[in-house]
Amino acid sequence: MGAAATLTLHERTRQAEVTLPGWRFALVLGGGGMKGLAHVGVLRALEERGWTPDVVVGNSIGALIGAAWAVDFTIAELEALALSMTRRDVFAIARGEMAARRLRAAGLYKTEPLEMLLRGFLGDTTFDDLPRRLVVASVDINSGMVTYWGLPGLRNVPVADAVFASCALPGFFAPREIDSRFLVDGALADNLPVTLAAAQDVDGVIAVDVGSSSVLRAEVQESGFAAVFARASEIVFHQLLEARLAHWTRPAMLLIQPRVEHVPMLSFAHNRELIDEGYRAAVAALDQAGDEVRHSGAGIFPQRLVEVAVDRERCIGCGACVALAPPGMFRMDASGKAVGPSTPQEWSPISGGFIRHCPTYAITAHPARAAAGGSTGGGSTGTARG
């Protein structure tokens, strides 16, 4: 794993300082398999601006990257860890158990490789030992309860165990037992735990979404179990995120969505590309809305003006847009065709989800002319992210 992963916690006890006096923020790092290496690039962009999170809330791969940050890895050490990760560090098929127990096997993959990876840089460190604040999400597979390790009363456990549980995608890894609970990937309930982050005595939230995607796919059904499972996860993550953020008010949130949807969830062939894309997306979002999110008490940023249009030749008059879009955005005319808004709409990165539910792809959204040159830092204003 390289020298970066062998340094002890004692060697990383630099005092974490919160910059930007008067504005404290929580950084949320969502799950998404190996696509989450983009989180490293986001952390690099934030560090360059002098933006230090007061707390990191992580899920799955976001919990792993967040844990490395919390034991005070430098950005160079984080990048070295991310670039050194290979399939052998995480995945080894549990052939013996699969052969012996078949469908009763606890998971497709052995636990030892991921266990060794985590213990290699976390050791037996508990949340109480961390020099930086970290919260890790996981789900009790029996009760369905979400557990946020690192909160008061949930701190005296090894960070490595909490992170393993958060990475334990059901069916892939066996649940991790902690305090007589059997825990799996927190993404089952909340892949981007922004609500929990907002309650951590902060003024704002920066959230990095690498798991959801509304991109149109082709021939997923022909691509095997892993591809079908990954696509199903994307759909669920996207729907849950839209539902959770549909009525978000405060605090202000900067939502960063790196363009990583083309990378398979379990691919180790794009590590450098993912880090660089996380950096690009973060820089773009900070350039566009960094000052605005710091001085706003509410809303999701970056925001932009878009023009929404309906192709009347394609419209079949089903009325799905009227039902699913914000009230008043669409109406049906006398001929039974949908009519869109006549003025540009102000959208955040999660606006416009109703577009992909048009069965004939008759609805489009494009940057308004006055804002056509702006960078979005990820996210979608068209029919899909792609």
Side-chain angles (χ1 to χ4, degrees):
M1 293 305 299
T6 62
L7 297 177
T8 66
L9 180 62
H10 178 71
E11 294 172 306
R12 298 192 184 89
T13 53
R14 299 186 302 274
Q15 179 67 35
E17 295 182 357
V18 178
T19 55
L20 302 175
W23 197 76
R24 302 165 65 227
F25 71 96
L27 177 63
V28 183
L29 304 179
M34 295 309 297
K35 294 185 286 188
L37 295 185
H39 295 319
V40 176
V42 172
L43 285 165
R44 175 155 57 96
L46 291 172
E47 183 180 82
E48 288 180 357
R49 305 283 178 114
W51 293 44
T52 302
D54 189 59
V55 58
V56 165
V57 181
N59 205 0
S60 194
I61 184 70
L64 191 155
I65 300 300
W69 172 88
V71 294
D72 225 358
F73 269 41
T74 65
I75 296 300
E77 291 169 342
L78 275 169
E79 289 196 0
L81 174 64
L83 291 172
S84 69
M85 289 180 67
T86 66
R87 180 171 295 275
R88 289 178 300 178
D89 292 322
V90 181
F91 299 116
I93 295 177
R95 300 183 188 278
E97 186 174 13
M98 292 292 291
R101 303 192 65 191
R102 298 181 183 273
L103 292 180
R104 293 185 63 83
L108 177 63
Y109 294 107
K110 296 179 180 179
T111 60
E112 288 83 1
L114 180 57
E115 177 81 29
M116 291 179 62
L117 171 66
L118 296 173
R119 294 289 178 185
F121 70 90
L122 292 172
D124 294 322
T125 302
T126 70
F127 286 87
D128 283 325
D129 299 326
L130 294 174
R132 291 168 161 173
R133 291 177 61 199
L134 174 70
V135 177
V136 171
S138 61
V139 171
D140 186 319
I141 195 64
N142 289 303
S143 69
M145 176 179 64
V146 183
T147 303
Y148 297 103
W149 303 102
L151 294 182
L154 296 169
R155 299 179 55 82
N156 192 28
V157 299
V159 178
D161 283 343
V163 174
F164 187 102
S166 191
C167 292
L169 198 62
F172 285 74
F173 291 106
R176 173 52 52 102
E177 183 179 5
I178 305 177
D179 290 347
S180 300
R181 308 178 194 184
F182 290 86
L183 301 147
V184 296
D185 194 339
L188 267 66
D190 189 2
N191 191 49
L192 199 68
V194 291
T195 303
L196 187 282
Q200 299 308 299
D201 189 27
V202 292
D203 302 308
V205 172
I206 296 179
V208 188
D209 171 31
V210 295
S212 70
S213 175
S214 61
V215 164
L216 298 176
R217 306 289 189 188
E219 306 300 329
V220 173
Q221 73 281 358
E222 305 292 339
S223 303
F225 164 78
V228 171
F229 187 93
R231 179 54 176 160
S233 298
E234 285 181 343
I235 294 170
V236 171
F237 294 163
H238 196 82
Q239 297 281 4
L240 288 175
L241 182 63
E242 284 187 347
R244 192 170 298 276
L245 298 185
H247 304 291
W248 182 274
T249 54
R250 59 184 65 245
M253 180 197 306
L254 183 68
L255 181 59
I256 301 172
Q257 295 177 302
R259 304 298 298 267
V260 297
E261 57 271 6
H262 64 288
V263 177
M265 181 181 291
L266 305 181
S267 173
F268 288 79
H270 303 268
N271 295 22
R272 168 52 67 187
E273 175 190 348
L274 289 165
I275 295 170
D276 290 345
E277 171 55 20
Y279 178 79
R280 183 211 64 80
V283 167
L286 290 166
D287 284 346
Q288 183 176 353
D291 288 340
E292 192 172 8
V293 75
R294 286 174 55 195
H295 295 98
S296 176
I300 301 175
F301 300 87
Q303 296 182 352
R304 79 296 307 266
L305 288 176
V306 301
E307 294 177 344
V308 182
V310 178
D311 184 334
R312 292 181 62 81
E313 294 297 319
R314 288 191 171 193
C315 179
I316 58 175
C318 68
C321 56
V322 176
L324 299 177
M329 181 175 288
F330 291 91
R331 62 180 178 83
M332 307 302 291
D333 66 12
S335 64
K337 300 282 189 176
V339 178
S342 58
T343 58
Q345 306 293 300
E346 188 171 56
W347 278 8
S348 77
I350 56 93
S351 300
F354 59 87
I355 290 178
R356 72 178 182 277
H357 297 298
C358 175
T360 59
Y361 308 108
I363 304 172
T364 58
H366 303 283
R369 292 183 182 88
S375 171
T376 65
S380 171
T381 57
T383 56
R385 290 174 61 198

